[in-house]
Amino acid sequence: MVTIHDTPSGATFAVKVHPRAKRNAITGEVGDALKLSLTAPPIEGRANEACIEFIANLLKLPRSSVTIASGHSSRRKVIRVVGLSTEEIRRRIRM
């Protein structure tokens, strides 16, 4: 099960990114992380931008509310979401 933490700066959760996939989608869970497939390549931050955009669209938030807290150069990232509770994030992701 994906763990979502409430912090003073927003809710955080881990994702494992699979770049250069056929389509953008949630493809399951890996340990405590949400597994994402993204079509963008991991070059010049394109996969990071695609990850932010995908999660913002999924949660129906502006892109400015979603940031990568850690893991900018790794497949495993920690995403920070401002403006939603952990329960609301779970509901919108449908975990």
Side-chain angles (χ1 to χ4, degrees):
M1 181 174 183
V2 175
T3 305
I4 302 174
H5 302 281
D6 266 326
T7 67
S9 59
T12 61
F13 59 95
V15 296
K16 173 117 189 219
V17 176
H18 176 114
R20 291 192 175 134
K22 292 187 180 193
R23 62 186 178 98
N24 292 337
I26 295 174
T27 55
E29 297 177 13
V30 176
D32 67 341
L34 190 64
K35 188 173 179 187
L36 298 180
S37 293
L38 300 172
T39 58
I43 299 169
E44 299 173 355
R46 287 190 244 169
N48 288 341
E49 289 300 317
C51 180
I52 291 169
E53 187 168 339
F54 178 78
I55 292 173
N57 289 336
L58 178 70
L59 298 176
K60 298 176 178 75
L61 290 171
R63 284 180 49 132
S64 60
S65 296
V66 178
T67 57
I68 297 175
S70 67
H72 293 276
S73 61
S74 172
R75 287 182 184 227
R76 187 170 170 86
K77 303 175 185 311
V78 175
I79 303 298
R80 178 178 294 122
V81 177
V82 176
L84 291 179
S85 67
T86 57
E87 295 80 22
E88 186 64 19
I89 292 171
R90 280 191 199 287
R91 189 180 68 74
R92 292 186 185 189
I93 293 177
R94 294 181 191 98
M95 286 194 254

